[in-house]
Amino acid sequence: MIVIETVLVAFAMFSALPLPRPAWNEKNMRFALCAFPLIGVVCGLLWWGWSALCAFLTAPDLLRGAGFCLIPVLVTGGIHLDGFADACDALASCAPPEKKQEILKDPCSGAFAVIRLCAYFAAYFALCAALRDDGRALWSMGLAFVLERALSGLAVTRFPLAKNTGLAHTFATSADRTAAGRVLTVLCVLSGAGMIAAGGASGIAMLAAALLVFLHFRVTADRQFGGLSGDLSGWFLQRAELWMLGALVACQLLEAKFL
């Protein structure tokens, strides 16, 4: 029962799926971060389903790409995009860390958030439309959805926090950070290894992209914000997803050109 509640807590917070929402307590919050990557599994399965439907209907590439682009947004309800937008506004301000934290809390989106969200979706949609969605690619992206969430959860258990309030603080203080961190580390290793096994060179490129974005995330959180926050976790997740997708498409284009 407690395992089911733990999974439901993660889905209630990080997805828009119509599932029961149990009351949070010490027991079901302890390993909720470990269930976070399961939302990536749902995104991957829906990508497989949409790919199969498009193949059955002989749908054009643009329609297939639009579905790939929208699936993660529909599953999550845009919660990570909200953090991405807030972080973009804060980073563009070039203000001290304290001021950047205030910008993260501002419910209004500034011009830089709008501009960078538009750029993000233009890039994501173009990559999805260009993707050759064979079995290797679908396996690789399915595991990428898992990896980015495992890394995001791992950051909450390992990185210093910027403040004593907010979503990241709630999950970090409620979790068994040592045990949850170990579980998430194992999930990172398994999903990364799975990407390499499924995609070969493209899997290696995707894993390298994710790890580079994760390293940049750590440096940015420390130097520009004084620590981790929930918005920054969303900013990382969206960037990792885009860069892994970009690495996958780039490898496919190179393979088609030279092999």
Side-chain angles (χ1 to χ4, degrees):
M1 183 65 179
I2 192 62
V3 174
I4 296 175
E5 282 193 15
T6 298
V7 172
L8 289 176
V9 165
F11 273 79
M13 187 62 246
F14 298 112
S15 84
L17 300 177
L19 296 172
R21 295 176 176 263
W24 294 4
N25 57 53
E26 182 179 350
K27 290 183 178 181
N28 61 30
M29 288 286 289
R30 188 181 180 195
F31 290 102
L33 285 172
C34 299
F36 182 26
L38 292 176
I39 299 167
V41 174
V42 174
C43 291
L45 290 174
L46 289 175
W47 264 48
W48 273 96
W50 177 248
S51 175
L53 179 61
C54 289
F56 176 75
L57 298 175
T58 320
D61 291 344
L62 289 180
L63 179 59
R64 185 199 65 198
F68 284 154
C69 184
L70 290 173
I71 282 171
V73 182
L74 296 175
V75 170
T76 64
I79 184 173
H80 308 302
L81 284 166
D82 176 66
F84 175 83
D86 290 341
C88 286
D89 268 340
L91 288 167
S93 70
C94 299
E98 296 78 12
K99 179 62 177 177
K100 285 189 175 75
Q101 288 293 340
E102 292 179 15
I103 295 173
L104 289 180
K105 294 187 290 185
D106 189 343
C108 299
S109 294
F112 287 102
V114 175
I115 291 168
R116 294 185 186 184
L117 276 173
C118 290
Y120 180 92
F121 274 110
Y124 200 108
F125 172 61
L127 291 169
C128 286
L131 179 69
R132 185 176 71 248
D133 62 331
D134 54 24
R136 291 173 57 198
L138 291 174
W139 269 109
S140 296
M141 272 310 297
L143 290 165
F145 290 129
V146 174
L147 175 62
E148 68 196 21
R149 286 165 173 81
L151 287 170
S152 182
L154 181 63
V156 174
T157 67
R158 293 290 188 260
F159 290 7
L161 301 176
K163 55 185 179 178
N164 295 326
T165 58
L167 183 61
H169 179 266
T170 299
F171 274 85
T173 54
S174 301
D176 183 335
R177 297 180 73 174
T178 300
R182 289 172 180 166
V183 172
L184 289 164
T185 299
V186 171
L187 289 176
C188 289
V189 172
L190 291 176
S191 54
M195 282 186 355
I196 294 173
S202 60
I204 294 173
M206 292 171 72
L207 179 59
L211 294 177
L212 287 173
V213 174
F214 187 69
L215 177 61
H216 181 256
F217 170 39
R218 174 60 190 268
V219 173
T220 301
D222 285 348
R223 294 182 179 177
Q224 303 220 36
F225 293 89
L228 179 69
S229 69
D231 286 323
L232 289 177
S233 294
W235 174 76
F236 157 74
L237 191 148
Q238 295 296 159
R239 293 179 73 247
E241 190 170 307
L242 180 65
W243 281 94
M244 283 191 285
L245 177 59
L248 174 58
V249 173
C251 287
Q252 287 186 339
L253 293 175
L254 290 172
E255 287 176 3
K257 180 70 174 178
F258 297 108
L259 298 180

